[in-house]
Amino acid sequence: MNEDKKVSIIVPVYNTEAYIESCLDSIKKQTYKNFEVLLINDGSTDNSKKICEMFVHNDDRFKLFNQVNCGLSKSRNNGIKKSKGDLILFVDADDQISANLLEKSITILNEYEVDTVIFSYSMMINGKQKNSGFKDPNLGSISAEKALAELFSGHFGSYSWKILTYRKIYIDYDIYFPNNRHYEDIATTYRIIAASKMIYLTSQQLYYYEQRNNSITHIHDDNDLDDMIKTFSEIRIFIKNQFPGIEYLITKLEFNMIFMLLIRMGNWKDKFPIRYSKAQKKYLISAIKHLDKISKYFKQDIHQNRSLHLKLVLLKLKIFPVLIFVKNHAQVTSRRIKK
């Protein structure tokens, strides 16, 4: 195939010595050869830097940039600024990619003349592939508004690493990851889609996501709620101005994301009876206040999704955490019986 488009693969690296070699091996094995790899070492204190240096020494497409620890967002942003390619792909240092990810994605990009390709992924635990039971939609070439509607409906996730898009979209539309904020992907993915004239959604699983319990996305942080509220405030303002016809979809997604944070905060899936620390009680009260605020200002959206109202009522009655615990353990028991 024609390899005229150069891809900048940006890999933020921080203390991932157990995974980084497998990750970089999977990149090196790409059937599409016209790429550069920007390794942004974010002040690693383990052997990650040495492993990166080995790849840089053996393959001039790999480039290492060392910086004082400043977080994932700044690492990605520095990668964007240093990139020289036509296209950008992000890969997390503990994940792997299919050998034909670039070839398949760029073939789609050229054949359907789209700006952005969004592919699916497989989950891995300890390097072994796992069936997550979730499948991204296979919608083909669609408009930005249609893709945003699918995103806000929860049909695919806001993961930056499942997107291949042109570098000029990041640069021309000033799209960067917000510093010192969790769930930074949610704050940027919708803007990449909005800046694309056409997007191709494929259900091909080209990315292998390593699920680690100690990763940032699986650990509760007291700032998560404020970060999520700020992000959704930005999303609502943007969509109201650019795509007002789908603004109603945001309410349900924000509701569900806040409930996800609460489930993680209280460890409701595995913990019963539930006892909260002072910080957790404060977190729970703040979440309920915000959910009440959403319900007040967006009554029509809530009315159309009565399940949201029911979840909030059950949360206030302290019943919702019990239901989550029972549901999770029923599923665990069912899987054991099937085995």
Side-chain angles (χ1 to χ4, degrees):
M1 68 177 293
N2 189 338
E3 295 194 355
D4 59 326
K5 292 183 175 68
K6 185 174 184 177
V7 184
S8 294
I9 303 175
I10 299 169
V11 186
V13 180
Y14 179 69
N15 289 353
T16 51
E17 63 180 1
Y19 305 92
I20 186 66
E21 186 170 357
S22 296
C23 172
L24 300 185
D25 270 334
S26 73
I27 294 173
K28 192 170 183 176
K29 292 175 182 176
Q30 289 300 295
T31 55
Y32 187 96
K33 304 299 182 183
N34 187 12
F35 63 83
E36 63 172 356
V37 183
L38 292 88
L39 303 168
I40 313 297
N41 176 37
D42 192 30
S44 294
T45 57
D46 64 358
N47 287 318
S48 296
K49 180 182 174 183
K50 289 183 179 179
I51 296 169
C52 289
E53 288 173 339
M54 178 181 69
F55 279 84
V56 171
H57 178 75
N58 294 328
D59 192 327
D60 61 8
R61 294 175 299 179
F62 288 75
K63 301 165 187 175
L64 177 62
F65 301 91
N66 296 305
Q67 63 186 33
V68 176
N69 179 255
C70 52
L72 178 59
S73 287
K74 203 157 189 178
S75 297
R76 286 175 172 173
N77 293 340
N78 286 341
I80 294 171
K81 293 172 185 176
K82 295 176 186 299
S83 63
K84 304 295 183 185
D86 303 293
L87 298 156
I88 284 180
L89 173 73
F90 290 101
V91 177
D92 284 354
D94 50 358
D95 298 336
Q96 298 176 39
I97 60 176
S98 167
N100 55 13
L101 184 152
L102 293 183
E103 181 181 349
K104 286 193 172 184
S105 297
I106 293 173
T107 296
I108 290 172
L109 198 81
N110 292 335
E111 184 176 345
Y112 294 93
E113 298 182 341
V114 296
D115 297 315
T116 300
V117 177
I118 301 176
F119 42 82
S120 190
Y121 65 98
S122 296
M123 295 184 71
M124 295 195 305
I125 297 179
N126 297 323
K128 294 183 179 179
Q129 198 167 337
K130 176 189 174 186
N131 183 7
S132 65
F134 178 81
K135 190 174 183 180
D136 285 316
N138 192 41
L139 299 177
S141 180
I142 58 175
S143 68
E145 184 165 3
K146 172 65 175 172
L148 286 168
E150 292 290 325
L151 175 68
F152 296 146
S153 297
H155 295 159
F156 67 94
S158 295
Y159 300 114
S160 62
W161 39 255
K162 63 196 299 265
I163 298 172
L164 178 73
T165 194
Y166 284 97
R167 181 180 184 272
K168 66 180 181 180
I169 285 181
Y170 286 97
I171 303 302
D172 292 353
Y173 291 88
D174 197 30
I175 299 174
Y176 290 99
F177 296 88
N179 291 323
N180 302 315
R181 194 191 304 183
H182 288 167
Y183 304 101
E184 58 283 320
D185 291 5
I186 299 175
T188 51
T189 296
Y190 74 96
R191 292 190 60 203
I192 295 167
I193 293 172
S196 306
K197 290 181 180 178
M198 296 296 290
I199 299 95
Y200 195 101
L201 264 74
T202 174
S203 61
Q204 294 183 74
Q205 296 176 327
L206 303 178
Y207 191 98
Y208 304 125
Y209 167 64
E210 179 72 34
Q211 188 176 38
R212 293 193 292 146
N213 291 331
N214 63 341
S215 68
I216 293 174
T217 55
H218 289 91
I219 297 175
H220 166 73
D221 187 285
D222 288 340
N223 295 318
D224 285 349
L225 180 62
D226 289 339
D227 288 349
M228 192 70 75
I229 291 172
K230 184 174 183 179
T231 293
F232 271 94
S233 175
E234 294 171 353
I235 292 173
R236 194 177 291 279
I237 292 169
F238 181 91
I239 296 300
K240 186 175 183 178
N241 291 330
Q242 302 292 329
F243 303 93
I246 59 173
E247 184 190 358
Y248 72 96
L249 294 171
I250 298 171
T251 303
K252 182 179 180 180
L253 182 61
E254 183 175 8
F255 241 76
N256 288 334
M257 292 303 295
I258 290 175
F259 269 89
M260 179 271 292
L261 293 180
L262 289 174
I263 292 170
R264 183 173 299 161
M265 178 274 295
N267 193 20
W268 294 343
K269 287 186 176 181
D270 301 309
K271 192 176 177 182
F272 190 82
I274 299 166
R275 296 181 178 87
Y276 300 114
S277 66
K278 286 184 179 180
Q280 287 176 323
K281 287 178 181 178
K282 183 179 178 181
Y283 190 96
L284 182 59
I285 291 169
S286 296
I288 291 174
K289 282 183 179 179
H290 184 69
L291 292 170
D292 270 332
K293 182 180 178 181
I294 296 174
S295 300
K296 179 181 178 181
Y297 286 110
F298 305 103
K299 286 182 180 178
Q300 185 176 353
D301 299 349
I302 300 297
H303 180 71
Q304 292 173 351
N305 296 280
R306 294 186 178 182
S307 62
L308 302 184
H309 177 70
L310 179 60
K311 285 170 72 172
L312 182 54
V313 170
L314 293 173
L315 179 63
K316 290 179 177 179
L317 293 173
K318 302 180 180 180
I319 297 173
F320 188 79
V322 179
L323 294 177
I324 293 296
F325 176 83
V326 172
K327 179 182 176 182
N328 183 59
H329 280 264
Q331 291 173 341
V332 171
T333 303
S334 176
R335 286 195 292 267
R336 286 174 179 171
I337 292 172
K338 287 179 180 179
K339 287 181 179 179

